[in-house]
Amino acid sequence: MPAASQSVDLDYVLSKLLWMRDRHIWPNGLRYLWTDAFGVVLFVSLFEATGEDRFLEQAHWLVTEVDRVLGRPRGIRIGEEPDRDGQYFHYLAMWIYALAILARHMPEMKSKGVALVRQIHGAFVLPRRGVIWKMKEDLSGPYPGYGLGALDAFDGYISYSKLDEKNLAGEISDMRALIGQQAPSLWITQDLGIGMMLWMTHFHPDEDWAVLQRQRCLQVLDTMWMPAGYFCREPYLRTVKFAFTNYGASIGLQAVGAMPDRIEALHQFFDRHRSGDEYDEAAITHVMACSAHFPGLLLEHGWQDKSAPSGRL
């Protein structure tokens, strides 16, 4: 597998963070677990890149705010808005990954993450069957109308392993067994799902599931490239495009070192594209943009260069 190739545009990220804060989009907007998980990783990455303590402080503040607003006796709610009730396993897994990254500098975050795993794992995981995609907010049962998630066992495997392989050995084993069942028949056809799977494969690039899924994901994604400079949502949805999902594809491609020209092209396309709907000022669009322009500690080898510029936020 080619080595990860990280986009690093800190001037873009620092400018985007200022713009979001000025417009009360993020981090001083409404809480949303997926966005905040990527945001914690971004702040820690900026701390390691610049050496500025304020970024680590902002990461810790964000964790505190998520606990305050979205935290529940068991698990974490999807988002602050009324229609974002319930709990998604893949959001929780991304949050666990974020806590693992913050634990590099705040060791207490590891035990916090382990405690969260212990709260949610038994509720979501059905041995030999799969992982429930969405649960009721109190984790008393599946959210009506939702079944098993296609990527959730992979999400848990990666996040649990990054957090604490020793103390979560049993839970990791549960996820590894489900991956063994699911990976051979799994074909992902959605741009963000492909991006996240590619990202997950780069942590264990030589494991059978990772080799297989990397090949399949790149094969499908290649058919989704549009000449204008973006990936369509699904192979059969040629005119449908979203900025935040394309940025997710960018992160995955950077993780596996593939399609560098298309990464650059989609960044240029979506940096100027406006959809004319709520996504133009949605936090998820712009936090994912920052993460694509500077994946930092989303990538296995993280940030190495300490000579990056800093800015005032």
Side-chain angles (χ1 to χ4, degrees):
M1 184 185 79
S5 177
Q6 179 171 175
S7 172
V8 180
D9 189 349
L10 291 190
D11 288 337
Y12 174 96
V13 172
L14 295 170
S15 176
K16 180 73 76 173
L17 287 172
L18 275 172
W19 179 83
M20 284 193 288
R21 189 180 290 275
D22 287 346
R23 299 179 77 89
H24 296 276
I25 293 172
W26 189 89
N28 52 347
L30 295 176
R31 300 270 62 86
Y32 188 55
L33 189 59
W34 176 268
T35 303
D36 290 337
F38 277 87
V40 168
V41 178
L42 178 66
F43 279 144
V44 180
S45 300
L46 287 169
F47 167 69
E48 294 198 8
T50 67
E52 297 186 26
D53 289 341
R54 62 198 175 96
F55 291 118
L56 192 61
E57 292 165 0
Q58 288 172 22
H60 184 256
W61 172 86
L62 190 52
V63 170
T64 301
E65 282 297 286
V66 166
D67 283 346
R68 182 182 68 82
V69 178
L70 303 181
R72 297 296 182 264
R74 296 174 64 204
I76 305 173
R77 179 185 161 103
I78 291 168
E80 186 172 357
E81 293 183 295
D83 62 346
R84 292 175 172 176
D85 58 327
Q87 298 191 37
Y88 284 138
F89 183 83
H90 62 296
Y91 281 26
L92 291 160
M94 199 66 218
W95 186 247
I96 290 163
Y97 180 86
L99 294 177
I101 293 301
L102 187 53
R104 290 162 63 98
H105 305 284
M106 297 181 174
E108 66 273 18
M109 292 298 156
K110 178 180 285 191
S111 58
K112 182 179 183 67
V114 169
L116 177 58
V117 173
R118 298 272 160 76
Q119 291 171 20
I120 66 173
H121 183 85
F124 278 94
V125 177
L126 303 177
R128 297 177 297 281
R129 288 184 57 196
V131 181
I132 298 169
W133 192 54
K134 185 177 183 180
M135 293 285 290
K136 294 178 181 177
E137 196 156 313
D138 62 359
L139 299 185
S140 61
Y143 201 93
Y146 291 83
L148 302 177
L151 274 66
D152 294 57
F154 303 85
D155 292 321
Y157 177 55
I158 296 302
S159 294
Y160 293 1
S161 298
K162 293 299 293 182
L163 180 68
D164 194 330
E165 286 187 319
K166 181 179 179 181
N167 285 317
L168 296 175
E171 290 86 352
I172 292 169
S173 179
D174 290 343
M175 295 306 197
R176 188 183 291 113
L178 291 172
I179 287 173
Q181 295 174 213
Q182 297 170 0
S185 61
L186 177 63
W187 285 83
I188 306 167
T189 60
Q190 193 181 74
D191 55 348
L192 181 57
I194 289 173
M196 296 311 297
M197 177 58 83
L198 288 172
W199 173 71
M200 289 187 283
T201 68
H202 98 284
F203 292 103
H204 301 283
D206 298 324
E207 294 189 4
D208 290 346
W209 68 269
V211 174
L212 176 64
Q213 286 300 316
R214 182 170 59 249
Q215 183 272 328
R216 286 181 178 175
C217 285
L218 291 174
Q219 178 182 336
V220 175
L221 197 62
D222 184 56
T223 70
M224 296 165 61
W225 182 250
M226 304 303 292
Y230 63 86
F231 292 106
C232 61
R233 181 64 164 154
E234 297 253 8
Y236 65 92
L237 297 174
R238 309 299 286 177
T239 63
V240 178
K241 57 186 177 296
F242 295 104
F244 78 91
T245 61
N246 267 260
Y247 287 128
S250 167
I251 293 166
L253 289 170
Q254 290 179 64
V256 299
M259 303 184 189
D261 293 344
R262 291 179 178 180
I263 293 169
E264 179 62 26
L266 79 84
H267 286 191
Q268 291 180 6
F269 180 88
F270 285 106
D271 287 349
R272 64 178 184 273
H273 173 74
R274 296 297 177 268
S275 59
D277 57 23
E278 69 275 12
Y279 283 112
D280 281 342
E281 294 203 1
I284 194 171
T285 298
H286 301 289
V287 173
M288 291 297 287
C290 289
S291 298
H293 280 270
F294 177 42
L297 294 166
L298 287 170
L299 303 188
E300 175 71 352
H301 298 295
W303 177 254
Q304 303 296 331
D305 183 2
K306 298 295 186 181
S307 62
S310 62
R312 181 175 178 81
L313 294 182

